[in-house]
């Protein structure tokens, strides 16, 4: 189904590069080191629920948004681990329905190419804002550049006119896509985050996926004795480890305490016992040599390749990994994902999973055809195109139950299984979406040091709190607040 956080990016659902960024016209986060293939997703001004300009046609039962027939549409799609064919397929249906030309651009450089266009008042209509060089959606929303998508939510769904679009997508999609009270980002994919592994490898060794942090440490000892590294990770981009580490904190400590972290509250890191327990767990893994040697120098692709080749058993990642690592995955690999581990006195039950919307789509409020941009998203939210997405990129969308009855690839089948088993025990985080420079660059740097034994858990916690406090005090950073 994202990603903040998801997610990424990994060249897939929305997550960002751990590298220094500089603001270009205040709209974009640009990696100074130029590694563009790593994953990324993530005051005043207003744009109304109905577009204030652009092409507008007559509303009918079959055209609930009022798309103007024949009016051109421009789509800018991040072409990373998910590719862009799924978007082209939806665009073909748009062209057929509205007899309109769709100008399509697939790129990994969304921000660099679009920053001058937003500044010049000539943005494309609909944008998949992913990748390491994504646009800063918080600033765009604050400046009134993003179309309010309330009209899309309230439009009739393509599959069942009796149902509104809002009733066909996972509720967290709406929560995740808000800036304040305005819903202006549609996270199209739905990412399952967790610990990924080869079921074939575990079965061949007689190993069972651990249920607790302690069981994981014990199993790592057995794995190491067998001559295999228990873990690897994208050391060039250590924020990948946060996909698990942050969610593990939320599971043990509870969402109320994690929300305090999302909200940059004083002492949110240092006063949370779950933070200490989880970070000390990672410190122990590092101290006992449970990470593949050289992981600190690997990109996300290199770490996934090492994992595919059986050099390591576990890797922290999101459900885009199946499609992204397909070129090096053995046919009988049996890709699978496990839920979060139990700790001490957990506030959330066994089976709790981090699963949340990812792959952010935005519509330009000042584009030439914002109504058409919303209509393209309505087409993509049909069961036909949700299933097409699952087939082509082995990932779920935010459309509920869209894959029912489908034959799924191993990784996607596993992700769907743990998602169903989790029920309502799902974790969704905002910190990486709202403050990517904090999580990916600052805290990511600390995590990198932790995993090679250069930083103790207590120092990681102290320094992470200090970095969060700096952002909280920085008046130039727009702040957001969540209550649930």
């Amino acid at each position: 189904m994202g990603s903040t956080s998801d997610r990424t990016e990994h060249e897939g659902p929305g997550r960002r590069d751990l590298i220094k960024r500089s603001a270009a016209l205040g709209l974009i986060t640009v990696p100074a080191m130029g590694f563009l293939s790593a994953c990324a997703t993530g005051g005043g001004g207003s744009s109304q629920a109905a577009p204030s300009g652009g092409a507008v046609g007559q509303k009918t039962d079959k055209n609930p948004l009022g798309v103007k027939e024949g009016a051109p549409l421009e789509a800018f799609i991040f072409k990373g681990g998910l590719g862009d064919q799924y978007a082209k397929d939806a665009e073909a249906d748009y062209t057929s329905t509205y007899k309109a030309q769709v100008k399509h651009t697939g790129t990994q450089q969304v921000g660099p190419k679009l920053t001058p266009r937003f500044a010049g008042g000539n943005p494309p209509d609909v944008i998949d804002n992913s990748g390491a060089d994504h646009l800063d959606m918080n600033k765009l929303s604050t400046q009134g550049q993003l179309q309010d998508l309330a009209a899309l939510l309230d439009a009739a769904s393509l599959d069942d006119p009796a149902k509104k679009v809002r009733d066909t997508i996972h509720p967290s999609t709406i929560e995740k896509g808000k800036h304040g009270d305005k819903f202006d980002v549609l996270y199209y994919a739905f990412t399952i985050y967790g610990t990924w592994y080869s079921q074939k490898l575990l079965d061949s060794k007689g190993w069972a996926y651990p249920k607790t942090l302690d069981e994981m440490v014990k199993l790592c000892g057995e794995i190491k004795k067998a001559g295999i590294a228990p873990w690897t990770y994208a050391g060039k981009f250590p924020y990948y480890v946060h996909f698990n580490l942050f969610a593990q904190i939320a599971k043990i400590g509870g969402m109320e305490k994690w929300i305090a972290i999302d909200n940059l509250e004083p002492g949110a890191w240092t006063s949370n016992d779950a933070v200490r327990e989880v970070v000390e767990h990672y410190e122990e893994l590092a101290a006992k040599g449970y990470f593949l040697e050289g992981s600190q120098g690997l990109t996300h692709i290199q770490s996934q390749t090492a994992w595919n080749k059986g050099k390591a058993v576990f890797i922290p990642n999101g459900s885009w990994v199946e499609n992204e690592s397909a070129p090096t995955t053995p046919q009988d690999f049996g890709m699978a994902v496990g839920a979060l581990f139990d700790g001490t006195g957990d506030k959330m039950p066994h089976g709790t999973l981090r699963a949340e919307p990812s792959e952010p789509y935005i519509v330009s409020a000042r584009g030439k055809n914002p109504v058409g941009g919303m209509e393209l998203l309505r087409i993509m939210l049909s069961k036909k195109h949700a299933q097409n997405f699952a087939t082509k990129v082995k990932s779920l969308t935010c459309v509920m139950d869209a894959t029912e009855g489908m034959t799924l690839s191993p990784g996607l089948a596993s992700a769907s299984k743990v998602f169903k088993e989790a029920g309502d025990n799902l974790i969704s985080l905002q910190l990486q979406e709202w403050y990517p420079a904090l999580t990916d660059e600052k805290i990511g740097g600390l995590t990198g040091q932790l995993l090679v034994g250069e930083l103790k858990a207590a120092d990681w916690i102290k320094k992470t709190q200090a970095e969060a406090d700096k952002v909280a005090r920085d008046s130039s950073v727009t702040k957001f607040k969540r209550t649930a």
Side-chain angles (χ1 to χ4, degrees):
M1 293 184 182
S3 182
T4 161
S5 231
D6 353 327
R7 324 137 27 181
T8 231
E9 299 184 335
H10 25 70
E11 281 197 7
R15 292 292 183 264
R16 299 148 221 65
D17 253 327
L18 168 62
I19 39 189
K20 291 201 169 204
R21 302 155 190 250
S22 59
L25 297 176
L27 298 180
I28 175 181
T29 312
V30 184
M33 291 167 56
F35 188 85
L36 303 182
S37 59
C39 320
T41 172
S46 64
S47 68
Q48 300 77 27
S52 56
V56 179
Q58 185 176 356
K59 294 182 180 181
T60 65
D61 289 344
K62 291 188 176 181
N63 183 10
L65 291 170
V67 178
K68 184 175 182 180
E69 188 170 303
L73 180 73
E74 185 178 4
F76 232 82
I77 309 298
F78 176 68
K79 190 176 181 180
L82 300 179
D84 61 349
Q85 185 58 48
Y86 72 93
K88 290 181 179 179
D89 294 342
E91 291 163 10
D93 278 3
Y94 182 95
T95 294
S96 174
T97 302
Y98 296 104
K99 299 176 179 58
Q101 179 185 1
V102 178
K103 181 181 179 181
H104 175 100
T105 300
T107 181
Q108 288 190 21
Q109 295 181 292
V110 177
K113 292 184 177 181
L114 293 188
T115 295
R117 292 190 56 183
F118 270 99
N122 182 38
D125 302 301
V126 61
I127 303 159
D128 172 15
N129 187 37
S130 284
D133 280 338
H134 63 291
L135 293 155
D136 187 330
M137 293 185 295
N138 295 345
K139 286 193 173 79
L140 287 174
S141 180
T142 300
Q143 295 167 0
Q145 296 270 15
L146 302 187
Q147 173 63 39
D148 188 329
L149 301 177
L152 170 64
L153 293 180
D154 291 330
S157 70
L158 211 62
D159 298 309
D160 181 358
K163 278 187 177 181
K164 293 181 178 181
V165 167
R166 69 168 67 246
D167 298 323
T168 67
I169 61 179
H170 198 277
S172 62
T173 308
I174 298 175
E175 176 192 349
K176 188 84 173 178
K178 285 184 175 180
H179 287 102
D181 294 329
K182 185 172 71 170
F183 176 72
D184 54 15
V185 182
L186 174 73
Y187 287 88
Y188 181 64
F190 201 93
T191 297
I192 307 301
Y193 296 93
T195 300
W196 291 78
Y197 59 94
S198 161
Q199 188 65 58
K200 179 188 177 183
L201 178 58
L202 259 60
D203 291 345
S204 70
K205 299 292 186 180
W207 296 327
Y209 182 81
K211 292 183 179 179
T212 69
L213 292 174
D214 288 343
E215 286 180 11
M216 170 55 80
V217 174
K218 182 179 179 181
L219 177 59
C220 284
E222 295 180 30
I223 293 172
K224 189 175 182 181
K225 287 178 183 177
I228 309 172
W231 285 87
T232 188
Y233 63 98
K236 290 275 191 180
F237 317 106
Y239 66 81
Y240 268 68
V241 177
H242 297 165
F243 298 157
N244 280 11
L245 190 154
F246 287 177
Q248 194 69 63
I249 291 171
K251 179 194 183 299
I252 296 173
M255 283 306 299
E256 183 178 347
K257 288 191 174 180
W258 180 266
I259 288 171
I261 290 175
D262 274 346
N263 290 340
L264 302 176
E265 292 181 14
W269 292 96
T270 52
S271 64
N272 187 340
D273 288 340
V275 174
R276 175 187 52 76
E277 181 174 358
V278 173
V279 180
E280 286 181 352
H281 170 75
Y282 280 89
E283 180 185 45
E284 181 178 7
L285 294 179
K288 293 182 175 178
Y290 290 159
F291 293 108
L292 176 67
E293 187 175 350
S295 288
Q296 66 268 29
L298 301 180
T299 66
H300 57 302
I301 298 296
Q302 291 169 333
S303 64
Q304 290 163 188
T305 300
W307 171 63
N308 284 159
K309 290 181 176 180
K311 294 182 179 180
V313 176
F314 301 115
I315 190 170
N317 224 311
S319 47
W320 63 80
V321 68
E322 184 173 25
N323 192 62
E324 188 172 63
S325 67
T328 60
T329 304
Q331 191 170 359
D332 59 349
F333 189 73
M335 193 174 292
V337 60
L340 294 163
F341 308 112
D342 296 340
T344 304
D346 296 29
K347 296 295 190 293
M348 300 184 75
H350 181 72
T352 294
L353 185 71
R354 181 180 177 187
E356 60 186 70
S358 59
E359 205 65 14
Y361 271 78
I362 55 178
V363 174
S364 305
R366 300 170 189 174
K368 294 179 180 177
N369 192 0
V371 171
M374 288 194 288
E375 178 65 9
L376 179 63
L377 297 182
R378 192 174 77 100
I379 291 171
M380 290 172 60
L381 292 170
S382 66
K383 183 165 287 191
K384 170 187 173 181
H385 286 285
Q387 291 186 347
N388 184 52
F389 185 82
T391 300
K392 280 195 166 62
V393 307
K394 303 179 180 67
S395 185
L396 300 169
T397 67
C398 62
V399 180
M400 293 187 292
D401 303 322
T403 58
E404 289 294 327
M406 292 181 65
T407 299
L408 305 178
S409 57
L412 183 53
S414 177
S416 298
K417 180 175 181 289
V418 294
F419 176 69
K420 288 182 180 179
E421 290 172 349
D424 292 332
N425 299 306
L426 301 177
I427 288 172
S428 179
L429 312 177
Q430 290 286 27
L431 196 72
Q432 285 181 289
E433 301 298 328
W434 288 346
Y435 312 109
L438 168 66
T439 59
D440 300 356
E441 181 182 338
K442 299 299 185 181
I443 302 177
L446 297 174
T447 299
Q449 294 177 55
L450 177 77
L451 299 186
V452 295
E454 295 177 355
L455 193 67
K456 295 294 185 182
D459 293 325
W460 185 98
I461 296 168
K462 181 180 178 181
K463 291 184 177 184
T464 291
Q465 183 67 67
E467 293 294 348
D469 291 343
K470 286 180 187 176
V471 175
R473 293 192 300 266
D474 189 345
S475 61
S476 71
V477 178
T478 301
K479 309 300 191 304
F480 300 93
K481 195 173 185 69
R482 68 183 291 192
T483 56

